[in-house]
């Protein structure tokens, strides 16, 4: 059985006080919860403070990005060791906003994936098609290309430390959630790809989150799909009751 995993991607939102209040609220509300992994990924400048607020709670800490080099003259970047130093467990890699707004390529995401794995951060590797790619019937080709590019050279053993997030770009921040059937189709294709590239054991073990306008009122049916193992949540992760409402969808 794959353990469900719900992660919040706070993106470039909140100020220090509201981020702390959110973390404290989540720590409190998730007390005693069992059978699910939870994480939040604050803006990097707040990672330290949020890590302290979450200490000893059921909510793990993640980052939204990392640089692949260990240290040196890389102005503005943050290393794997720095994030580990602040208590990060996860890092989101290849989010569509980084791919499409900041121009990140599969090759760069691949370097970051290897750096994260080598340094003990668990990558949440995002893949997802644009609306015109879906309309042109290219969804599965795009997913395959991003999977192969971002995960090139990842061993069978390392794959056990990776979470994949399927996030159709047209569903992110738009309120247009993928239907459970649309999402499940891609999740199943990803699971089959894991079997093709690795083996059945890997395919059965790797968790695949869905992301894109997940809210409490659509989470239950999405999370009930056989190959959807959790959610990567943007907008709805900024409110304690909404995030916890999505988590509650798991137990219904
Ligand atoms: P959203 O974002 O839930 O606001 O659509 C999801 C994501 O980008 O991870």
């Amino acid at each position: 059985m794959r353990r469900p995993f719900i992660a919040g991607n706070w993106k470039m939102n909140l100020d220090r006080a509201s981020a702390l209040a959110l973390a404290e609220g989540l720590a409190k509300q998730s007390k005693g919860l069992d059978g699910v992994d939870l994480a939040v990924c604050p803006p990097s400048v707040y990672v330290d403070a949020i890590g302290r607020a979450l200490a000893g709670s059921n909510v793990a800490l993640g980052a939204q990005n990392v640089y692949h080099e260990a240290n040196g003259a890389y102005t503005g970047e943050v290393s794997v060791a720095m994030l580990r130093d602040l208590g990060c467990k996860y890092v989101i890699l290849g989010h569509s906003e980084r791919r499409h707004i900041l121009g990140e390529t599969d090759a760069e995401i691949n370097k970051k994936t290897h750096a994260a794995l080598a340094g003990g951060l668990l990558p949440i590797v995002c893949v997802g098609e644009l609306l015109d790619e879906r309309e042109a019937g290219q969804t599965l080709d795009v997913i395959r290309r991003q999977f192969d590019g971002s995960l090139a050279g990842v061993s069978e053993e390392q794959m056990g430390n990776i979470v994949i997030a399927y996030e159709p770009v047209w569903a992110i921040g738009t309120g247009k959630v993928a239907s459970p059937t649309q999402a499940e189709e891609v999740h199943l294709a990803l699971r089959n790809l894991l079997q093709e590239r690795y083996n059945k054991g890997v395919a059965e073990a790797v968790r695949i989150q869905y992301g894109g306008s997940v809210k409490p009122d659509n989470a239950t049916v999405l999370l009930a799909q056989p190959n959807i193992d959790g959610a990567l949540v943007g907008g709805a992760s900024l409110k304690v009751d909404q995030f916890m409402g999505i988590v509650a969808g798991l137990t219904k």
Side-chain angles (χ1 to χ4, degrees):
M1 261 309 268
R2 295 180 294 272
R3 190 176 158 94
F5 177 28
I6 314 277
N9 173 9
W10 293 357
K11 307 192 180 182
M12 199 173 75
N13 291 302
L14 307 167
D15 57 21
R16 185 183 157 88
S18 55
L20 276 171
L22 176 55
E24 280 155 12
L26 291 173
K28 205 163 145 201
Q29 298 279 319
S30 63
K31 234 181 231 156
L33 258 188
D34 211 7
V36 55
D37 289 337
L38 301 176
V40 293
C41 304
S44 59
V45 287
Y46 299 142
V47 162
D48 193 12
I50 299 304
R52 289 168 205 265
L54 294 174
S57 80
N58 268 330
V59 185
L61 187 65
Q64 299 175 16
N65 183 35
V66 75
Y67 196 58
H68 66 273
E69 294 288 354
N71 52 49
Y74 304 104
T75 301
E77 298 293 340
V78 168
S79 74
V80 170
M82 291 170 186
L83 293 175
R84 291 283 293 142
D85 202 13
L86 301 183
C88 276
K89 180 172 180 184
Y90 300 99
V91 63
I92 299 172
L93 296 177
H95 188 277
S96 73
E97 286 144 21
R98 298 212 56 86
R99 289 178 185 271
H100 298 294
I101 303 175
L102 296 148
E104 220 169 76
T105 63
D106 281 325
E108 285 165 335
I109 296 159
N110 186 241
K111 283 192 208 162
K112 293 179 180 198
T113 301
H114 284 286
L117 289 167
L121 271 182
L122 308 182
I124 302 173
V125 177
C126 304
V127 296
E129 81 287 3
L130 296 163
L131 182 58
D132 57 353
E133 291 168 334
R134 170 161 285 267
E135 286 172 346
Q138 296 164 350
T139 299
L140 298 185
D141 296 334
V142 172
I143 301 304
R144 236 175 266 129
R145 191 185 66 227
Q146 292 177 338
F147 179 102
D148 286 337
S150 309
L151 299 175
V154 171
S155 71
E156 175 186 336
E157 197 193 330
Q158 287 173 320
M159 206 55 223
N161 287 326
I162 289 185
V163 173
I164 297 174
Y166 168 55
E167 300 205 302
V169 181
W170 48 272
I172 296 178
T174 58
K176 279 191 223 152
V177 64
S179 73
T181 317
Q182 282 174 322
E184 172 62 16
E185 185 195 7
V186 179
H187 281 242
L188 178 61
L190 280 165
R191 186 99 43 220
N192 290 337
L193 198 54
L194 283 164
Q195 178 153 350
E196 245 173 69
R197 300 287 190 262
Y198 295 89
N199 55 47
K200 194 155 192 269
V202 169
E204 279 172 2
V206 171
R207 293 181 294 183
I208 310 175
Q209 296 176 316
Y210 168 79
S213 295
V214 178
K215 309 277 180 243
D217 62 359
N218 60 31
T220 310
V221 267
L222 283 164
L223 295 170
Q225 301 304 307
N227 287 293
I228 300 184
D229 309 313
L232 183 54
V233 185
S237 72
L238 300 173
K239 296 253 158 57
V240 176
D241 56 340
Q242 289 199 27
F243 189 74
M244 294 313 295
I246 290 167
V247 176
L250 282 168
T251 51
K252 278 191 198 138

